[in-house]
Amino acid sequence: MIFYLGLVFIFSLLIFQAVNETSDCFLTNRVLEKYYLSTMYSLEFIVGAIGNTIVVFGYIFCLKKWKSCNIYLFNLSISDLLFLCTLPIVVNSYSQDQWAKEGILCHSNRFLLHANLYSSILFLMAISVDRYMLIKYPFREHVLQQRKTAVMVSIAIWIGVILELLPLLHFLEPLTPTNNYKCLDYASSGDPVTNLIYSLFLTVFGFLIPLLTMCCFYVKMVRFLKNRREQISSALTLEKPLSLVILTVVIFSLLFTPYHVMRNVRIASRIPALHVSECTQGIISTIYIITRPFAFLNSAINPVFYFLMGDHFREMLMAKARQLLGRLTSSGK
């Protein structure tokens, strides 16, 4: 995270200098898209692709007994990989400042980008609920801890996210000579008034409600721990799940909140009735662009949770690696 903040600081200095050298308020956006977005998305692709690929193959070949949390984590990694597969095209387009004229590629990228965002949020929420249920019912005796339930919840999340994002295709503008065949982002497309209504809908139902749900179960964990404080061994056992949920909520808020705030501000600034000046719109767009890679940084960070929250996943993965290494060594003799 510090590394990414350092990159943002460096790019901010370059952009500040560029703005001082020109009166074009939207020059900042072009500099950001060409250098900042392409760099950030490249790093996210490299780190995220390696981490999520290891996790997917680790679950497929190492995990013998799947539990509810494993199912949620596996779906989370699939969501991340689907999004990461679209990044090479995006990086190439931003770095070359030239987009392919196929509208399908543009719209599918934007759709998968938002599908990853909101499916990740919901799967992280489901994982938090599962962690609470594991604390309260350590022997997995509740119906919500059953694998069948986890599969049904995962399917419901995918269907819900797809239905939730279908209107997004209506707001995305087609690639035309007028916009120089540029693949506009969601906040820069469509009618700003109706677009703002839909953006607020996504913010409330796709972000705020899952966040409040996670916080609710975090509070439940705290209360449960206080009630079990006299049982020292149990309290110590429950400290790790609690710290992980706290970490999840903190990262969840830091990554997703700025993006949703600035997305709505960016759309609102485009409403003609508000009479926002062109330079002010450029500044708002600049801040919005800076927040975008951080919202999707979760795709690179999520594999950490596989190691921290998985049931002995790291041990199983290392054991499998040692087994394969042993076979390669013995066959080479």
Side-chain angles (χ1 to χ4, degrees):
M1 182 67 71
I2 296 175
F3 176 71
Y4 283 104
L5 291 175
L7 284 177
V8 172
F9 177 74
I10 293 173
F11 281 117
S12 299
L13 292 178
L14 294 174
I15 291 162
F16 179 76
Q17 181 179 0
V19 171
N20 287 337
E21 294 175 355
T22 180
S23 58
D24 185 359
C25 297
F26 282 90
L27 173 64
T28 301
N29 299 342
R30 293 196 294 271
V31 174
L32 277 172
E33 289 178 350
K34 186 171 184 178
Y35 299 104
Y36 170 72
L37 287 183
S38 59
T39 302
M40 293 289 282
Y41 284 144
S42 296
L43 292 172
E44 290 179 9
F45 172 75
I46 295 171
V47 177
I50 295 174
N52 284 285
T53 301
I54 291 174
V55 170
V56 168
F57 281 98
Y59 269 116
I60 293 175
F61 296 106
C62 299
L63 191 63
K64 297 180 180 179
K65 185 178 180 181
W66 288 61
K67 299 178 181 179
S68 54
C69 186
N70 303 130
I71 295 173
Y72 296 133
L73 287 170
F74 182 78
N75 278 274
L76 183 61
S77 66
I78 295 298
S79 173
D80 291 338
L81 283 175
L82 288 175
F83 161 67
L84 291 168
C85 289
T86 69
L87 287 185
I89 298 177
V90 175
V91 170
N92 180 70
S93 299
Y94 278 131
S95 61
Q96 300 294 329
D97 198 19
Q98 183 177 2
W99 290 81
K101 297 182 181 180
E102 292 82 3
I104 296 178
L105 289 176
C106 169
H107 293 174
S108 61
N109 166 262
R110 300 305 182 192
F111 187 88
L112 287 174
L113 183 144
H114 288 85
N116 166 257
L117 175 66
Y118 292 109
S119 63
S120 295
I121 292 173
L122 291 175
F123 281 121
L124 288 172
M125 180 194 71
I127 291 168
S128 298
V129 175
D130 184 80
R131 292 293 92 183
Y132 169 73
M133 300 305 297
L134 182 60
I135 288 175
K136 192 169 183 179
Y137 304 98
F139 299 103
R140 294 186 177 273
E141 57 194 26
H142 197 276
V143 65
L144 292 178
Q145 296 173 299
Q146 297 178 1
R147 286 177 293 180
K148 182 179 179 180
T149 303
V151 171
M152 294 176 62
V153 170
S154 298
I155 294 174
I157 287 176
W158 283 112
I159 295 176
V161 169
I162 292 173
L163 294 177
E164 182 183 51
L165 292 176
L166 283 179
L168 181 69
L169 299 175
H170 170 73
F171 292 107
L172 295 175
E173 294 184 7
L175 277 67
T176 61
T178 305
N179 55 26
N180 198 26
Y181 296 103
K182 185 175 182 179
C183 183
L184 297 175
D185 64 273
Y186 161 55
S188 303
S189 302
D191 176 64
V193 176
T194 54
N195 203 351
L196 180 60
I197 296 174
Y198 177 61
S199 178
L200 291 173
F201 167 81
L202 288 178
T203 301
V204 172
F205 291 95
F207 170 63
L208 289 179
I209 291 179
L211 176 62
L212 292 175
T213 302
M214 292 177 65
C215 291
C216 175
F217 280 92
Y218 160 67
V219 172
K220 286 178 174 290
M221 285 187 182
V222 173
R223 291 179 177 176
F224 186 85
L225 284 173
K226 287 183 178 180
N227 294 334
R228 299 285 297 273
R229 188 64 64 185
E230 66 277 3
Q231 301 179 11
I232 299 177
S233 59
S234 296
L236 291 175
T237 303
L238 298 176
E239 284 180 1
K240 183 179 179 180
L242 177 59
S243 62
L244 290 174
V245 171
I246 295 174
L247 180 63
T248 303
V249 172
V250 171
I251 294 178
F252 183 96
S253 303
L254 290 177
L255 294 182
F256 298 134
T257 301
Y259 168 78
H260 282 88
V261 171
M262 290 311 305
R263 186 182 70 188
N264 291 310
V265 173
R266 163 63 178 154
I267 297 173
S269 69
R270 295 173 49 230
I271 299 177
L274 297 180
H275 302 292
V276 180
S277 67
E278 186 174 338
C279 268
T280 302
Q281 290 188 42
I283 294 172
I284 292 173
S285 180
T286 297
I287 300 173
Y288 166 65
I289 290 174
I290 292 175
T291 65
R292 279 161 57 186
F294 284 91
F296 305 103
L297 185 60
N298 71 94
S299 296
I301 293 177
N302 283 337
V304 176
F305 289 94
Y306 303 126
F307 289 94
L308 293 177
M309 303 182 75
D311 296 301
H312 308 293
F313 179 75
R314 179 168 50 187
E315 290 78 5
M316 290 187 298
L317 193 61
M318 294 303 296
K320 189 69 173 180
R322 287 192 295 267
Q323 181 182 1
L324 293 174
L325 184 61
R327 290 179 179 178
L328 292 174
T329 304
S330 60
S331 62
K333 291 181 179 179

